[in-house]
Amino acid sequence: MQNLERMIDQGTGRESADIVLKGGCFLDLVTGELVASDIAISGDRIVGTCGDYTGKTEIDVSGKIVVPGFIDTHLHIESSLVTPLEFDRCVLPYGVTTVICDPHEIANVLGTEGLQFFLDSALETIMDVRVQLSSCVPATHLETSGADLPIERLMPFRKHPKVIGLAEMMNFPGVIHKDPIPLAKLAAFQDGHIDGHAPLLSGYDLNGYLATGIRTDHECTSAMEAMEKIRKGVHILIREGSVSKDLHALMPIITERLSPFIALCTDDRNPLDIAEQGHLDYMIRTAIANGAEPLAVYRAASISAARAFGLRDRGLVAPGWRADLVVIDSLESCKADMVFSAGRRVTSELFETRNFVEPVGLDSVRARQVTSADFAVPARNGETSVLGVIPGKIITEHRRYQLPNSGNQATVDLTNDILKITVIERHGKNGNIATGFVQGFGLKKGAIASTVGHDSHNICVVGASDEDMALAANRLSVIKGGFVVVEDGNVTGEIALPVAGLMSLEPYESVRDTLHHLRQAAFALGSTLQEPFLQLAFLPLPVIPHLKISDKGLVDVDRFELIP
Amino acid sequence: MQNLERMIDQGTGRESADIVLKGGCFLDLVTGELVASDIAISGDRIVGTCGDYTGKTEIDVSGKIVVPGFIDTHLHIESSLVTPLEFDRCVLPYGVTTVICDPHEIANVLGTEGLQFFLDSALETIMDVRVQLSSCVPATHLETSGADLPIERLMPFRKHPKVIGLAEMMNFPGVIHKDPIPLAKLAAFQDGHIDGHAPLLSGYDLNGYLATGIRTDHECTSAMEAMEKIRKGVHILIREGSVSKDLHALMPIITERLSPFIALCTDDRNPLDIAEQGHLDYMIRTAIANGAEPLAVYRAASISAARAFGLRDRGLVAPGWRADLVVIDSLESCKADMVFSAGRRVTSELFETRNFVEPVGLDSVRARQVTSADFAVPARNGETSVLGVIPGKIITEHRRYQLPNSGNQATVDLTNDILKITVIERHGKNGNIATGFVQGFGLKKGAIASTVGHDSHNICVVGASDEDMALAANRLSVIKGGFVVVEDGNVTGEIALPVAGLMSLEPYESVRDTLHHLRQAAFALGSTLQEPFLQLAFLPLPVIPHLKISDKGLVDVDRFELIP
């Protein structure tokens, strides 16, 4: 009540506002107008627009445009390789004041402990981190995950103030075929938000999927797909991540007419891309540069996103609305000069006010030690299945080659760029190890290894040498997870990701710098991929066509079964 | 879960849907297209669009258009003079599948008992009746109401499944001046919806009012007023009632661009208008006839209304959305051929399935018996204040006349159409009686009296004869509330409204017919007003300028005080 009294006094101008942005204009997402006006802020809320105000703090924003804070409607913070608190410090300055995350990666490693870590972190971040409860842990029966999250384990989190609903229901075949496990989760969240994930699903199957109350989808990769879904009431979350990039294909749906029914998201965006290009601001300026109407883009980035997820307090620059504000140079540049999160100006000092959240999962890499012998593949006659990597895509091709044999073993074929790929179970569950072959990395020697491998995050190793593969895999246990590059028996690059084997304990700046070095070390092996670790991370993902590999073996995704 | 299984089976077309609307098309409020498609319904939900379906029940809608059910975003059901269950039966067939009501009238008479009656009724109606908790009972200190609802009495209702938030915060001067009574209510509903009511409020005062989190307003009477409010983040509820008619003035805001931020409402609509013109369907066809884009109008009538109030399950014709559907002949006519409410076809039999809700407040008229002597006004020298009635408006003029005296009494002046107006406290609280003069009714003899008088609903009598006024007032106690017409010592017309003195126990058809007769009886007295009882009902309302009368006396609304 005391707050309301202050807000009324400051909104009516009887009392100086806490903060006033003076002399600029704001983009009114209702009328589309640029309105010249001071903006008065009291506490966490905008209390005055369309007028002149005096403030206890007055900030000159003349020549600038104020827009509502951006909302990332679907992402996995883990993909930034830093903790939620570091993600906050890294991404909020780009104007991203709200993120709706699915802690799917950490949940696959740590289960409820991972969810709790994200929720605890969400109570500390300056940006508003909302958490959706991961719906598909484990993602499939074709791999060994570190945890599972049946409905009974999700329910205790359902009413947490930072929880916004059920996260992306990836198991769309399960939904359509009435698998009781996903259906129990859908049933429990009927009165909340249920996020979708249904690449290429269409027609009657899409109707059946949506009949369960699923309302959003971030997997559209063509305008045609998006148009069918949007016509069926799906709020389309346009994605531009580090791997999956759909913005250009979906440009046709970024129109004023459709703007109430679209939003933006990054899904997976790595720290190098964030540093080099930005975050949602990059999507906004790219969309406008490609001809989208600014009103449609900025609506998608804020008010329409807020409405899609029932966040009714944000998305407009207007009295009574949450003071999540971005001060930009121009609608086209979308360069954030200044950011306000719930009325607080975002500065490096502001981040210092947060309480540290104790990291979890520091002992999550429980893989057995391996030797070169563990990577041996028996010689075989005839053709062998090979994962065909396509640069910049997470789908693979199912290729077949006659591999050379050496004695009683099948070997790599460097002239055809065919390397070994091995997945080693690392949750201390069964010690599974499976080896296959992959084409497209370009390595001429050495090995790279990682504990980031969607969705179960077992150890994945790609290499030209069994010895280097063993060294790389074992090194991951020493550094408690991360990325490793080995060349001729030496570790030539590495980054430790000890938080569940997914996230660093370091500041994002040093993660970014280390990744630069790591990329160079991989290039030194001959890597022809721009982002070999990113590409590696999706090779165990058995829900994406066509050929993948898990700790249980090669997976024919089209048949959704292991290859014997 | 069983329901979800059925919905999936019916949505995918593996099983016949419960109901299929065949051969028509639907208006897609996302793209604006008319889409030729069957519509499959399973249980309370749409499960299939954009395809062909078979159904256990198939209904031919060829040549017709299916649109989402209409949402009345602000109304007082009491103004229909029938109970919520009768309102349901009367209005749902026009396609109004959701109403967001404020039981402000019954709450002023009965307090929490009235709220409970509406909530009990809301659990029985076929249409979805959502209730906002009346924020301003009593409306002012200038009148005697039957009850008061401080925050402590509202809180127990806050989590009721049919409660949607805090109803129209009419006390905008109180808010701006930080009156602790309205502020306590605003503070308690910060995380829910707070409905506004702020006629002509603008500039800094409007900012201060909105700073409290108020999000909607139905009181805009000009496009200029609406544009300021919509630019300040207010969702504009365009009103067309029986008394206040704003649709024509607000036509300029019914555009595609603004359509996500507008909605429709009736506020107060009487059964004669409903019978003669319709309900929201009348607003829709009138707006289109006056040049509004159909997409904008239909969005305002459904999806945009739903979003404004956080009703996330309705407003589109799409799989997974609530099967609230209206089958119309054309977008322009908006004539409802068939209506579906949560998947149930609306028929007279369907209404028979509802449980009766025991009426309340049957003994609410507790006025003292009066005689002609109670209507005497002492003779006075000089001018007297006279309420100047303006046909079709609820504002009055403050006029001044020199009245004729008869002996020691001031009398009516029929040549100048100046009659007596008396308000008699009827809640059994203090027996107050106050008499003044009114101009504009046209009665040449007799009296009319009513227990419907906003907002305290005391007895209001207007008459040319003190004896007839006394008879009319006393008759209201006999019939336990209602409207009465008296001519030369005889009751020549009446309708009993025994539910809190506001609503009939009869079917709406007989209420409608009785009102016809009542209007004739009033015309026989010389009434020049089209709706004398409607006009009478707003004369005690001391929050509407300029001169009003309550049981405490004449109210100078501009000074917000009683005239001594």
Side-chain angles (χ1 to χ4, degrees):
Chain A
M1 248 189 68
Q2 221 167 8
N3 281 345
L4 285 185
E5 288 174 6
R6 290 184 72 240
M7 286 164 178
I8 293 167
D9 280 336
Q10 298 188 13
T12 56
R14 279 194 292 258
E15 186 186 284
S16 289
D18 292 345
I19 298 173
V20 175
L21 307 186
K22 283 203 79 73
C25 62
F26 70 89
L27 177 61
D28 176 11
L29 293 181
V30 176
T31 64
E33 301 160 344
L34 284 173
V35 182
S37 164
D38 291 347
I39 295 167
I41 297 170
S42 177
D44 62 358
R45 207 174 271 187
I46 302 161
V47 295
T49 59
C50 306
D52 300 317
Y53 280 91
T54 58
K56 291 161 195 160
T57 300
E58 296 189 351
I59 300 172
D60 180 22
V61 296
S62 51
K64 309 284 186 187
I65 298 170
V66 182
V67 296
F70 310 138
I71 300 173
D72 191 333
T73 52
H74 175 73
L75 85 167
H76 307 285
I77 288 178
E78 300 95 318
S79 296
S80 70
L81 307 181
V82 293
T83 60
L85 264 67
E86 272 304 289
F87 177 84
D88 181 33
R89 201 172 66 81
C90 175
V91 171
L92 177 53
Y94 293 96
V96 181
T97 50
T98 302
V99 302
I100 298 167
C101 78
D102 171 8
H104 178 73
E105 318 310 341
I106 197 168
N108 261 287
V109 178
L110 302 176
T112 54
E113 188 186 14
L115 290 183
Q116 191 62 57
F117 172 64
F118 264 58
L119 288 168
D120 292 346
S121 299
L123 293 174
E124 291 298 331
T125 52
I126 305 295
M127 64 163 53
D128 191 11
V129 173
R130 298 298 179 111
V131 176
Q132 296 204 289
L133 297 178
S134 307
S135 68
C136 300
V137 177
T140 72
H141 64 285
L142 300 169
E143 59 200 307
T144 304
S145 67
D148 65 354
L149 288 179
I151 180 65
E152 309 81 64
R153 293 204 187 127
L154 293 182
M155 289 309 275
F157 295 95
R158 202 172 169 290
K159 296 288 178 198
H160 188 284
K162 289 288 184 177
V163 166
I164 219 169
L166 190 65
E168 49 177 336
M169 180 45 77
M170 295 164 24
N171 187 3
F172 58 88
V175 174
I176 296 165
H177 295 104
K178 301 181 291 178
D179 178 337
I181 293 175
L183 256 54
K185 294 174 185 172
L186 292 170
F189 284 83
Q190 285 295 300
D191 60 346
H193 184 83
I194 306 177
D195 206 44
H197 164 121
L200 301 179
L201 198 66
S202 76
Y204 296 100
D205 282 349
L206 176 61
N207 290 358
Y209 179 73
L210 297 177
T212 64
I214 289 166
R215 281 287 193 276
T216 43
D217 184 84
H218 57 270
E219 290 289 342
C220 293
T221 49
S222 73
M224 201 178 75
E225 181 180 2
M227 281 308 295
E228 181 186 352
K229 287 179 176 166
I230 210 169
R231 199 177 278 124
K232 288 179 174 173
V234 177
H235 203 107
I236 304 296
L237 316 182
I238 300 168
R239 172 178 59 185
E240 186 78 356
S242 288
V243 184
S244 301
K245 297 173 191 292
D246 307 317
L247 178 60
H248 287 82
L250 299 184
M251 282 295 298
I253 70 163
I254 310 181
T255 65
E256 183 176 329
R257 174 164 292 183
L258 300 179
S259 62
F261 307 99
I262 60 174
L264 308 181
C265 73
T266 59
D267 205 350
D268 297 292
R269 196 153 175 83
N270 72 30
L272 289 175
D273 284 349
I274 297 171
E276 286 165 15
Q277 301 177 322
H279 201 259
L280 288 184
D281 56 315
Y282 165 75
M283 285 191 76
I284 294 167
R285 80 176 69 90
T286 304
I288 295 173
N290 282 275
E293 305 152 65
L295 176 61
V297 180
Y298 282 96
R299 278 182 174 178
S302 48
I303 181 69
S304 299
R307 285 178 154 196
F309 288 87
L311 296 171
R312 301 177 68 206
D313 60 346
R314 67 198 70 186
L316 292 179
V317 180
W321 293 62
R322 186 175 154 104
D324 286 349
L325 298 169
V326 192
V327 181
I328 56 177
D329 277 340
S330 72
L331 296 181
E332 293 72 24
S333 77
C334 195
K335 199 193 145 301
D337 265 4
M338 220 180 289
V339 177
F340 294 84
S341 169
R344 298 160 299 181
R345 183 169 178 178
V346 174
T347 62
S348 52
E349 292 73 34
L350 182 63
F351 291 112
E352 300 302 318
T353 63
R354 304 171 305 173
N355 294 306
F356 181 68
V357 179
E358 208 58 51
V360 294
L362 296 181
D363 191 26
S364 77
V365 182
R366 298 171 191 167
R368 64 179 171 96
Q369 291 298 293
V370 288
T371 67
S372 60
D374 287 306
F375 297 84
V377 177
R380 56 189 80 174
N381 298 319
E383 292 189 329
T384 293
S385 288
V386 173
L387 283 73
V389 170
I390 307 166
K393 303 254 182 224
I394 65 175
I395 63 165
T396 59
E397 289 179 353
H398 189 159
R399 298 174 187 159
R400 288 180 179 81
Y401 284 93
Q402 175 80 49
L403 293 179
N405 291 327
S406 167
N408 61 349
Q409 288 184 29
T411 70
V412 299
D413 178 358
L414 298 184
T415 54
N416 286 310
D417 187 22
I418 297 174
L419 305 168
K420 283 189 179 166
I421 177 164
T422 299
V423 176
I424 304 164
E425 189 275 326
R426 64 107 163 165
H427 303 294
K429 298 232 162 148
N430 53 32
N432 277 349
I433 179 164
T435 296
F437 292 90
V438 65
Q439 185 179 45
F441 273 83
L443 306 194
K444 296 302 174 195
K445 55 182 174 175
I448 63 173
S450 168
T451 49
V452 178
H454 297 279
D455 282 331
S456 289
H457 303 296
N458 288 305
I459 288 174
C460 319
V461 199
V462 165
S465 143
D466 292 356
E467 288 72 20
D468 286 349
M469 288 176 83
L471 173 54
N474 289 336
R475 179 68 189 164
L476 286 173
S477 293
V478 176
I479 64 174
K480 297 174 183 291
F483 300 154
V484 170
V485 178
V486 169
E487 183 175 349
D488 299 332
N490 296 306
V491 174
T492 55
E494 69 181 15
I495 183 167
L497 302 173
V499 182
L502 300 170
M503 289 168 281
S504 171
L505 289 169
E506 300 298 313
Y508 74 86
E509 295 91 341
S510 71
V511 170
R512 181 192 61 205
D513 295 343
T514 307
L515 286 174
H516 269 294
H517 174 256
L518 202 71
R519 190 150 66 172
Q520 295 310 316
F523 289 162
L525 301 184
S527 169
T528 50
L529 293 171
Q530 193 58 26
E531 296 291 349
F533 285 98
L534 209 56
Q535 206 101 34
L536 179 61
F538 288 93
L539 292 184
L541 183 61
V543 293
I544 301 288
H546 294 279
L547 183 65
K548 299 279 170 149
I549 184 167
S550 80
D551 64 299
K552 296 186 176 178
L554 281 180
V555 179
D556 182 333
V557 180
D558 302 326
R559 304 165 66 121
F560 208 56
E561 61 186 26
L562 292 164
I563 296 178
Chain B
M1 232 172 97
Q2 220 167 10
N3 280 346
L4 285 185
E5 288 174 5
R6 291 185 71 240
M7 285 166 180
I8 293 167
D9 280 336
Q10 297 189 13
T12 55
R14 280 193 291 259
E15 186 184 284
S16 290
D18 291 345
I19 299 174
V20 175
L21 307 187
K22 284 204 78 73
C25 61
F26 70 88
L27 176 61
D28 176 11
L29 293 181
V30 176
T31 64
E33 300 161 346
L34 284 173
V35 181
S37 165
D38 290 348
I39 295 167
I41 297 170
S42 176
D44 61 358
R45 210 175 269 186
I46 302 161
V47 296
T49 59
C50 305
D52 299 317
Y53 281 91
T54 58
K56 291 161 197 163
T57 300
E58 296 188 352
I59 301 172
D60 179 21
V61 296
S62 51
K64 309 283 184 186
I65 299 170
V66 182
V67 297
F70 310 137
I71 300 173
D72 191 334
T73 52
H74 175 74
L75 86 166
H76 306 284
I77 288 178
E78 299 95 318
S79 296
S80 72
L81 307 180
V82 293
T83 59
L85 263 69
E86 272 305 289
F87 177 84
D88 181 33
R89 201 172 65 82
C90 175
V91 171
L92 178 53
Y94 293 96
V96 181
T97 50
T98 302
V99 303
I100 298 168
C101 78
D102 171 9
H104 178 73
E105 318 311 340
I106 197 170
N108 261 286
V109 178
L110 302 176
T112 54
E113 187 186 14
L115 290 183
Q116 191 62 56
F117 172 64
F118 264 59
L119 289 168
D120 292 346
S121 299
L123 294 173
E124 290 298 332
T125 52
I126 304 295
M127 64 163 54
D128 190 11
V129 173
R130 297 299 179 112
V131 176
Q132 297 204 288
L133 297 178
S134 307
S135 68
C136 301
V137 177
T140 71
H141 63 284
L142 300 170
E143 59 200 307
T144 304
S145 67
D148 64 353
L149 288 179
I151 179 66
E152 309 81 63
R153 293 205 186 124
L154 293 181
M155 288 309 276
F157 295 96
R158 203 173 168 292
K159 298 289 178 196
H160 188 286
K162 288 289 184 178
V163 166
I164 218 170
L166 190 65
E168 51 176 336
M169 180 46 77
M170 295 165 24
N171 187 2
F172 57 87
V175 174
I176 296 166
H177 295 104
K178 301 181 291 180
D179 179 337
I181 293 174
L183 255 55
K185 294 174 185 171
L186 292 170
F189 284 83
Q190 285 296 298
D191 61 346
H193 185 82
I194 306 177
D195 206 44
H197 164 119
L200 301 179
L201 198 65
S202 76
Y204 295 100
D205 282 349
L206 176 61
N207 289 0
Y209 179 74
L210 297 177
T212 64
I214 289 165
R215 281 285 193 277
T216 42
D217 184 85
H218 58 269
E219 289 290 342
C220 293
T221 49
S222 73
M224 199 179 75
E225 180 181 3
M227 280 308 295
E228 180 186 352
K229 286 178 177 166
I230 210 169
R231 199 176 278 122
K232 289 179 174 173
V234 177
H235 204 107
I236 304 296
L237 316 181
I238 300 168
R239 171 179 59 186
E240 186 79 356
S242 288
V243 184
S244 301
K245 296 174 191 290
D246 306 317
L247 178 61
H248 286 82
L250 300 185
M251 283 294 298
I253 71 163
I254 309 180
T255 65
E256 182 176 329
R257 174 164 294 182
L258 299 180
S259 62
F261 307 99
I262 59 175
L264 308 180
C265 73
T266 60
D267 204 352
D268 297 292
R269 197 154 175 82
N270 73 31
L272 289 176
D273 284 348
I274 297 170
E276 287 166 12
Q277 300 176 322
H279 200 260
L280 288 183
D281 58 314
Y282 166 74
M283 285 190 77
I284 293 168
R285 80 176 70 91
T286 304
I288 294 173
N290 282 274
E293 305 151 65
L295 176 61
V297 180
Y298 282 96
R299 278 183 174 179
S302 48
I303 181 68
S304 300
R307 286 178 152 196
F309 287 86
L311 296 170
R312 300 176 68 206
D313 60 347
R314 67 197 71 183
L316 292 179
V317 181
W321 293 62
R322 188 175 153 102
D324 286 349
L325 299 169
V326 192
V327 181
I328 56 177
D329 278 340
S330 71
L331 296 181
E332 293 72 25
S333 77
C334 195
K335 200 192 145 302
D337 265 5
M338 219 180 289
V339 177
F340 294 83
S341 170
R344 298 160 299 183
R345 183 168 178 180
V346 174
T347 61
S348 52
E349 291 73 34
L350 181 63
F351 292 111
E352 301 301 318
T353 64
R354 304 170 306 173
N355 294 306
F356 181 67
V357 179
E358 208 57 52
V360 294
L362 296 181
D363 191 28
S364 76
V365 181
R366 297 171 192 168
R368 63 179 172 96
Q369 290 298 295
V370 289
T371 67
S372 60
D374 288 304
F375 297 84
V377 177
R380 53 189 82 173
N381 297 320
E383 292 188 328
T384 294
S385 288
V386 173
L387 283 73
V389 170
I390 308 166
K393 303 255 181 222
I394 65 174
I395 62 165
T396 60
E397 290 178 352
H398 188 158
R399 298 173 187 161
R400 287 180 178 81
Y401 284 93
Q402 174 79 51
L403 294 178
N405 292 325
S406 169
N408 61 349
Q409 288 184 30
T411 71
V412 300
D413 178 359
L414 296 184
T415 55
N416 286 310
D417 188 22
I418 297 173
L419 304 169
K420 282 188 180 169
I421 177 164
T422 299
V423 177
I424 304 163
E425 190 274 328
R426 64 107 163 164
H427 303 293
K429 297 234 163 149
N430 53 32
N432 278 348
I433 179 165
T435 296
F437 292 89
V438 64
Q439 185 176 46
F441 273 82
L443 305 195
K444 296 302 175 196
K445 55 183 174 176
I448 64 173
S450 168
T451 49
V452 178
H454 297 279
D455 283 332
S456 290
H457 302 296
N458 288 304
I459 288 175
C460 319
V461 199
V462 164
S465 144
D466 292 354
E467 287 72 20
D468 285 349
M469 288 176 83
L471 172 55
N474 290 336
R475 179 69 188 162
L476 287 173
S477 294
V478 176
I479 65 174
K480 297 174 183 293
F483 301 154
V484 170
V485 178
V486 170
E487 182 175 349
D488 299 331
N490 296 305
V491 174
T492 55
E494 68 182 13
I495 183 167
L497 302 174
V499 182
L502 300 170
M503 290 168 280
S504 171
L505 289 170
E506 300 298 313
Y508 74 86
E509 295 91 342
S510 71
V511 170
R512 182 192 60 206
D513 296 343
T514 308
L515 286 174
H516 269 295
H517 175 255
L518 203 69
R519 190 150 65 170
Q520 296 310 317
F523 289 161
L525 301 183
S527 171
T528 50
L529 294 171
Q530 194 57 27
E531 295 292 350
F533 285 98
L534 209 57
Q535 206 101 33
L536 179 60
F538 287 94
L539 293 184
L541 183 60
V543 293
I544 300 288
H546 295 278
L547 184 65
K548 298 280 171 151
I549 185 167
S550 80
D551 64 299
K552 295 185 177 178
L554 281 180
V555 179
D556 181 334
V557 180
D558 302 326
R559 305 166 66 123
F560 208 56
E561 61 186 29
L562 292 164
I563 295 176

